[in-house]
Amino acid sequence: MKRIFFVDDSGPPFGHMLLAFGGYLGGFDGNFLWNRIGAEYNMNVPIWSLRLLPALTGALCVPLAYQILVELHFSHCAALGAALLILFENSLITQSRLMLLESVLIFFILLAILSYLKFYNLQKCSPFTAGWWFWLLLTGVACSCAVGVKYMGLFTYMLLLAIAGVHSWHLIGDQTLSNVSVLCHLLARGLALVVVPVAMYLSFFYVHLTLLYRSGPHDQIMTSAFQASLEGGLARITQGQPLEVAYGSQITLRNVLGKPMPCWLHSHKSTYPIRYENGRGSSHQQQVTCYPFKDVNNWWIVKDPGRQQLVVSNPPRPVRHGHIVQLVHGITTRYLNTHDVAAPLSPHSQEISCYIDYNISMPAQNLWRVEIVNRESDTDVWKTILSEVRFVHVNTSAVLKLSGASLPEWGYRQLEIIGEKLSKGYHQSILWNVEEHRYGKSQEQKEREVELHSPTQADISKNLSFVARFTELQWKILTLKNEDTEHKYSSSPLDWITMDTNIAYWFHPLSGAQIHLIGNVLTWASANVATLVYVCLFLWYLLRRRRKICDIPEDAWRLWVSAGGLCVGGWAVNYLPFFMMEKTLFLYHYLPALTFQILLIPVVLQHLTDHLCRYPGKPTGCSAVLISGDEGSEMMGFIVPAAALTSGTLHYVPSVVTLPCLPEGHGENYSVNACTAPGKVNCSPV
């Protein structure tokens, strides 16, 4: 609401933008601190508007559940049961009554499922019609919205892509379609289910970054280039800096990694202790550290080893990839140096220091080769903010690196800098970028110190492209870890199935009124039983079919597989991945998986009613029948599935056909009426 940039590790920005849009419609100006759970809202906060969207989407999940069961070709009674179970599930009600995003996520998940089912059912009779295109495109839009609200939506999106892939594979094998028709079908699915979701996902971030153009407290975790693209903050400091680093430039070097905290290459007059606590000796040279705050001791001067001047010549001589430089500390005028002395906390790496001449047999080794990692060619110029460089020590080939360890009291708890000899690849801890930059003009030390304290004056813009900002922000969202690994109401995935956990959302200190997130015991237990029954029956049917025994008609089997693949598959993909996650988990993470389980309850009940409980004490159809008869002088017999009886078509024509139902101990006789085709015969009961 205040256009201030922020980073949220909970997921993409679309859900937050929807809530903010509700607040905007309600006249909210953003003047409320969301920093304490349970704080009373003031009159400035339009609670009704902010809670409207979660409540509306939560309510719409009820008719969506009904329609999904109808599109799966289940009865209206089963569909009504699914809708009622969603309606009376109090965990879903609680989540949708508050300013939370799970109900919005579940709405888009169910909308994507329903849209694909409608599209698939239209595929059989009227492909490439307006309705066909509408439901196909709506599937892609709903999937992108689900992923844009929370990354948990990605699980259902992957499931739908897998189902669409299976259907497409069957489509390729359809001999009634021409090659051009098959190609058009595949391209349409690729456009709607891949291109459209990706484009919409990018559009969410485009709107997000367009709205949040002001600098904020989360800037520090972003790169210097990203910070400079925001209004205020670093942009105010770096606006108009010289773009190309030249010999004589005064620079600050920020480590690209930004972990455990953003920091800058730093030195001060203090030296390393002669001996460390473990008894190892040091060089007693001037300390070089990484300092997490802006300071005048972060400034360095890029010097040409072949010249003595510390100012930029006219015209400036830019530093390019592969050039050899010396880095001179701006305040102490000592050179960045390393040698064969172990680092204080990383004994297998070299110590980094600023060289002090003690007139002993340890000469200065202060030459560094600049390597631009993100260069486009080997002649690229070292650029402010944009270039990521690593410094390779000429004498030892050690690379300037942030170890991340905090130095003891003698190092003021600043972060250790080392020379890594065995560094392979380009880990971000060895990469540096110039953040602040000016062309040095003063050769005298006192004048130069004044110059280092003054702001830059040039005016050159360095705005990042949307693709660069999106890529960086996306990576930060995916890799950002919350420091709070423990929480009073955190839980494990195993706790969710048995509902062994809950979350206390609110407690009134005076009246004792509370809001808890807890599920409906009957619904959760029924959902678990339905899942277990489905898996057992599916495996039983599968084993029997492998033995050529069909307990249910072919249409019922296909319906059982498709409904189960959707409901059980949806539950599995939204539940099992949490066992591999290291983040703090809560009960509400289970709600999307629970929704699929609830849809499974009426599916299982209708199947049991239609196929296992229709005739008490007698199967609905013979699992297999014995066909016997004589042809010429030979007696012949074989087994065929019961599905052949329902179709009335047999692939063998004996003179007499008898089909005994063995389970009941008495048979039903069938006689041959007529031959309709060579090798096939129509049968009817006598």
Side-chain angles (χ1 to χ4, degrees), residues 550-629:
C550 299
D551 297 282
I552 57 177
E554 193 66 26
D555 290 344
W557 167 252
R558 284 197 294 266
L559 181 60
W560 182 245
V561 171
S562 61
L566 195 62
C567 297
V568 178
W571 170 78
V573 300
N574 282 282
Y575 173 61
L576 298 180
F578 287 104
F579 284 95
M580 299 178 286
M581 294 186 184
E582 297 179 357
K583 62 182 291 185
T584 306
L585 301 175
F586 297 94
L587 181 62
Y588 56 74
H589 286 119
Y590 186 61
L591 295 183
L594 174 69
T595 304
F596 282 99
Q597 261 194 319
I598 292 176
L599 296 179
L600 185 65
I601 296 174
V603 169
V604 172
L605 287 177
Q606 179 171 329
H607 180 81
L608 295 177
T609 303
D610 290 350
H611 300 288
L612 300 184
C613 304
R614 175 177 291 179
Y615 302 115
K618 179 180 177 180
T620 58
C622 299
S623 58
V625 293
L626 179 64
I627 312 295
S628 63

Side-chain angles (χ1 to χ4, degrees), residues 630-635 655:
D630 57 14
E631 183 176 30
S633 60
E634 296 182 3
M635 295 295 295
S655 56

Side-chain angles (χ1 to χ4, degrees), residues 139-214:
T139 303
V141 170
C143 286
S144 62
C145 290
V147 177
V149 171
K150 284 199 170 187
Y151 282 125
M152 288 191 295
L154 189 63
F155 302 145
T156 304
Y157 178 46
M158 292 293 105
L159 175 67
L160 277 179
L161 284 183
I163 294 174
V166 172
H167 291 164
S168 299
W169 182 253
H170 292 160
L171 202 67
I172 294 174
D174 190 348
Q175 297 297 323
T176 63
L177 297 176
S178 65
N179 293 339
V180 175
S181 181
V182 170
L183 180 61
C184 291
H185 276 285
L186 297 178
L187 290 177
R189 286 160 174 76
L191 172 67
L193 301 180
V194 178
V195 177
V196 169
V198 170
M200 285 198 63
Y201 183 77
L202 291 174
S203 70
F204 299 152
F205 277 89
Y206 183 83
V207 175
H208 177 69
L209 292 171
T210 302
L211 290 174
L212 306 184
Y213 60 87
R214 291 176 179 168

Side-chain angles (χ1 to χ4, degrees), residues 440-454:
K441 300 177 182 177
S442 304
Q443 185 68 33
E444 296 296 327
Q445 175 63 13
K446 290 187 178 294
E447 296 177 0
R448 189 162 54 243
E449 288 185 16
V450 174
E451 189 176 35
L452 290 172
H453 283 86
S454 63

Side-chain angles (χ1 to χ4, degrees), residues 13 30 41 56 71 109 130 164 168 172 290 340 359 367 398 439 527 553 580 597 615 630 673:
Y41 291 121
L56 182 62
E71 292 298 324
I109 286 175
S168 299
I172 294 174
C290 206
D340 193 16
N359 291 321
L367 298 180
Y439 282 164
M580 299 178 286
Q597 261 194 319
Y615 302 115
D630 57 14
N673 289 335

